[in-house]
Amino acid sequence: MKENLDPNKPYGQGDATFQAAGGEAGIRRLVDRFYDLMSTQPEYATIWSWHPDDPELSRDKLARFLCGWTGGPKRYSEKYGSIRIPAAHAHLDVTHAEKNQWLSCMKQALEDLDYPEDFRTYLINALTVPAESIRLTASARAGRLDPP
């Protein structure tokens, strides 16, 4: 993960990331853009197909998760309880392709909402950690070697 070099924007410390995302409203906008892109762009068709016909629950869960994960209020646990990221995605067969689709879609959503480049870079690098954990868990469960 790249370290943020701007001391005025200490992403990853306290609620700095949450605030840089625009607080809860900003995270909701980001999640809405993310799901709007996923549902309409052919390059995200595989990961979109994993969602229910009504993705509102998925939108709500991701927005609530990101609130707490970025240092803001723990909205996910308030409504849904605790979460273990790899276990929550255990039903999915995530390979490098799907992991990269998800990260690419989030990157596009961040760009579309015109977040500063240093914030976009930080957030994608940070999100790569749980995304890779999900992929590794899926690979181990499937008994396959899934090299980079």
Side-chain angles (χ1 to χ4, degrees):
M1 181 179 330
K2 273 189 177 176
E3 188 175 329
N4 177 37
L5 302 177
D6 184 345
N8 297 318
K9 298 177 182 174
Y11 306 131
Q13 298 176 20
D15 72 347
T17 306
F18 178 73
Q19 294 302 327
E24 200 163 343
I27 287 175
R28 290 274 175 186
R29 280 191 301 276
L30 175 60
V31 168
D32 284 343
R33 183 65 189 141
F34 172 77
Y35 276 103
D36 290 348
L37 288 165
M38 193 190 308
S39 67
T40 60
Q41 301 301 307
E43 62 265 37
Y44 308 126
T46 300
I47 58 174
W48 176 246
S49 72
W50 292 344
H51 291 82
D53 290 338
D54 180 4
E56 289 311 306
L57 179 62
S58 299
R59 287 179 190 247
D60 186 57
K61 284 184 172 184
L62 180 58
R64 286 174 178 274
F65 169 75
L66 287 176
C67 278
W69 187 78
T70 59
K74 308 292 185 204
R75 299 291 187 230
Y76 187 94
S77 62
E78 289 173 4
K79 185 170 183 179
Y80 300 109
S82 64
I83 184 171
R84 290 184 4 251
I85 299 297
H89 297 84
H91 62 288
L92 303 172
D93 187 22
V94 180
T95 68
H96 284 287
E98 291 81 18
K99 177 190 90 170
N100 291 336
Q101 277 183 41
W102 195 96
L103 290 167
S104 176
C105 188
M106 183 58 73
K107 182 178 179 185
Q108 187 176 350
L110 287 160
E111 289 171 1
D112 288 356
L113 295 176
D114 206 26
Y115 282 102
E117 184 177 348
D118 68 326
F119 177 72
R120 295 190 317 252
T121 299
Y122 170 81
L123 197 60
I124 292 299
N125 286 337
L127 287 168
T128 299
V129 174
E132 180 63 5
S133 180
I134 292 166
R135 185 199 66 77
L136 287 170
T137 300
S139 293
R141 189 182 61 255
R144 71 171 175 262
L145 294 175
D146 201 7

